[in-house]
Amino acid sequence: MKKISKLAFGASLVALVATPSFATELVGAVQFDEEHAFTKALREFERVASECSGGSLTFDLHLNSELGLEKDYFENMSQGIAIDYAIVSPSHMSTFSQKAPLMDMPFLFRDLDHWNAVMEQDALAPLALDVLEQADVRLIGYAGGGTRNLIVNKPVTNMEELEGLPMRVMGAPIQTRIFEAIKAAPSVIAYDEVYNAIQTGVIDAAENEAAGIEQMKFYEVGPDIALTKHAITVRPIAFSNATFERLTPEEQECVLEAGKAGGKLGREVESGQDSEKLNAMEEAGLLTTHEFTERDKLLELAQPVKQAYAEELGATDVLESIEAVQ
């Protein structure tokens, strides 16, 4: 009979105690690689949730659009299939919740300090509740923090050069309305088709933050960046409510705690890296930034559209609350 050493037996016993007998594996998805701020935010969510749950929650995160794009992630989470957690742009929630894109509306935030205060004070809670009611998806944390500018195949520095500019926008109607109001010519194109659309002349421009420009190499087809600073991104960490309701109360608390932690790290990473990435790409000769000299005009043209949109959605109070945050 083969003898088992006391040391080996002790190690086996520790392993059994440390590993819950009925762990729940959660499947996540992200469009980017390990270095992207979104992935770092989700890794922090996983770390905190795993530690909090004592290992009863385990994670399988699929990178680089392996499970599709953000729109697909959200639809799957809404149906309670395939994907349990992901970072999703509010624009991709608009099919379910008309109010959701308000949190990502261009010209919504005064500056980074205002944006961060809105996240910390949970001023977006009424919009998250609407997403939960309409899509059965929970917004458990808020990442983002990239400042979005125009990516163009020629210099654009003023209203005259902006007028009639064919450009890609995200799918939410407010995106189209805002860019029409500031005199551009927006059209909705899938994110993974933007590079080819600029390259082939279907459009002349798109809009994104520095991390997206770097990851997708948009500078190869749109090397002139117009610093419109029209949005500071809000990128919620979304979690399937069908999955959430299957968890124990203790695990649910861990998911909510971890969502806030992941979002906070994501905001710190992306807002900190944004200007650094843009400057590094410019210093490397990959792109050229151009100050937009009539930004005050952009704000003026956008304001009535923002107010009208919020009124249509019955969310005027939410817009006013966001604008009132100090």
Side-chain angles (χ1 to χ4, degrees), residues 58 63 69 109 111 114-115 120 141 192 204 214 235 255 263 273 277 289 304 326:
T58 63
L63 311 181
L69 302 176
F109 303 108
D111 51 33
H114 177 227
W115 165 84
E120 290 297 326
D192 57 352
D204 291 337
E214 179 186 59
R235 293 294 177 266
V255 165
Q273 287 183 349
K277 285 180 178 292
T289 59
Q326 298 298 319

Side-chain angles (χ1 to χ4, degrees), residues 27-29 67 72-74 76-78 80-86 240 243:
V27 176
L67 297 183
D72 307 312
Y73 308 160
F74 194 77
N76 286 338
M77 285 185 285
S78 179
I81 59 173
I83 296 172
D84 300 306
Y85 63 100
S240 169
T243 301

Side-chain angles (χ1 to χ4, degrees), residues 23-29 42-43 45-46 49-50 53 55-62 67 77 82-86 140 238-248 251-252 254-256 258:
T24 298
E25 183 176 79
L26 302 176
V27 176
L42 292 176
R43 291 301 190 198
F45 161 72
E46 293 172 347
S50 178
S53 68
S56 73
L57 296 177
T58 63
F59 302 91
D60 179 21
L61 180 60
H62 294 256
L67 297 183
M77 285 185 285
I83 296 172
D84 300 306
Y85 63 100
I140 59 172
F239 196 92
S240 169
N241 191 49
T243 301
F244 187 83
E245 291 181 343
R246 289 196 295 268
L247 303 179
T248 68
E251 289 172 337
Q252 290 176 348
C254 289
V255 165
L256 297 177

Side-chain angles (χ1 to χ4, degrees), residues 126-157:
L127 304 180
L129 179 60
D130 191 67
V131 172
L132 177 59
E133 291 174 346
Q134 303 300 326
D136 205 32
V137 174
R138 289 178 176 268
L139 306 187
I140 59 172
Y142 298 97
T147 299
R148 293 177 81 91
N149 296 295
L150 296 186
I151 307 159
V152 200
N153 58 11
K154 59 188 175 184
V156 170
T157 62

